Amino acid sequence: MKAKELMAPVITILAAAAVLLAVSAGLRPIAENQEATAQAEIMGYMLPSRPASFTEEPYDGEDESIRRVFKAEDGYVVEVETAGYAGPMILWVGVTNEGTVSGVTVRDHRETFGLGRGAQTDASFLLQFLGTAGEAAVGEDIDALTGATVTSKAVTRAVNSAAAFVTGADVSSGATEWEG
C-alpha cells in the first residue's frame, strides 16, 4: 500500500476521535450537574425534614470508615465505606442531630447476587435501622439477611459508625474491620 492510501483512513479516524472528545467534554458538565441533582434528591430523603440543600463538611476524625459528611439543618448524611463479604460497600446514612438513624441507602457494593445484594434492595432489612442510635447489633435488634450474615454485619457497622459520628460516641465501631 502506498502512504497516500493510508492517510485518508488515518485522518478520518483522527477527525472522528477529535469530534468524540469535543462532544464528551461538552457533555461532562451536564452529566455532573445531573449526578449532583440526583445525589441531592436522594440525600433529601435521608432526613425527616427532606432538606433541599446540604453542605459538605470536612472530616478528619478517627473513624477511617467515614468518607464524607454532609450537613443539613436537622441532621447529617454520612458516607461510610465498610468491608462487605465480596468487597467494599459504600452507604449513605441519614442521622438526625439527636443521633437517631433516619435513613440508610447502599450506594455501591460487590456483594453476592441473591444473598448479600439484598442489602441494597431489601426494604425490610434496611428499615430495621431506622430509629437506632449507633448500638444496633445483628442477632439482637437486627435480623440478618438470609445467607448474608457478613454483609448484614457490615451494614450494621457502617450505620453504627455514622450514628457515632453525630453523637460524638466512641469511634471504635470499626466499620472497615471484618470480624466474621
Side-chain angles (χ1 to χ4, degrees):
M1 277 190 157
K2 296 181 182 178
K4 287 184 181 182
E5 291 175 1
L6 288 175
M7 290 303 285
V10 170
I11 290 172
T12 303
I13 291 171
L14 289 175
V19 168
L20 288 174
L21 283 172
V23 169
S24 175
L27 293 177
R28 183 173 291 123
I30 295 169
E32 289 172 354
N33 187 32
Q34 288 177 338
E35 177 66 21
T37 301
Q39 286 184 1
E41 186 175 344
I42 293 168
M43 281 195 267
Y45 286 107
M46 304 294 289
L47 293 172
S49 69
R50 294 209 174 156
S53 65
F54 288 83
T55 304
E56 187 169 355
E57 294 192 342
Y59 178 73
D60 58 0
E62 295 176 35
D63 192 337
E64 294 177 3
S65 64
I66 295 176
R67 293 172 37 147
R68 299 186 327 178
V69 175
F70 300 92
K71 173 75 173 122
E73 189 172 312
D74 64 336
Y76 296 83
V77 172
V78 182
E79 183 177 271
V80 184
E81 181 175 343
T82 186
Y85 176 76
M89 298 178 71
I90 308 296
L91 288 84
W92 280 356
V93 182
V95 184
T96 65
N97 286 332
E98 293 76 34
T100 304
V101 174
S102 57
V104 178
T105 186
V106 178
R107 300 286 294 158
D108 190 28
H109 66 88
R110 289 163 184 70
E111 299 305 278
T112 308
F113 182 78
L115 297 172
R117 193 160 284 189
Q120 186 173 30
T121 58
D122 189 330
S124 61
F125 172 70
L126 294 173
L127 286 172
Q128 297 178 92
F129 294 100
L130 301 184
T132 63
E135 311 246 339
V138 173
E140 293 177 25
D141 40 3
I142 302 297
D143 292 328
L145 292 164
T146 303
T149 305
V150 173
T151 301
S152 301
K153 287 181 178 182
V155 171
T156 302
R157 287 189 304 271
V159 170
N160 288 343
S161 283
F165 161 76
V166 173
T167 62
D170 181 34
V171 296
S172 65
S173 60
T176 58
E177 296 171 10
W178 183 66
E179 298 172 4

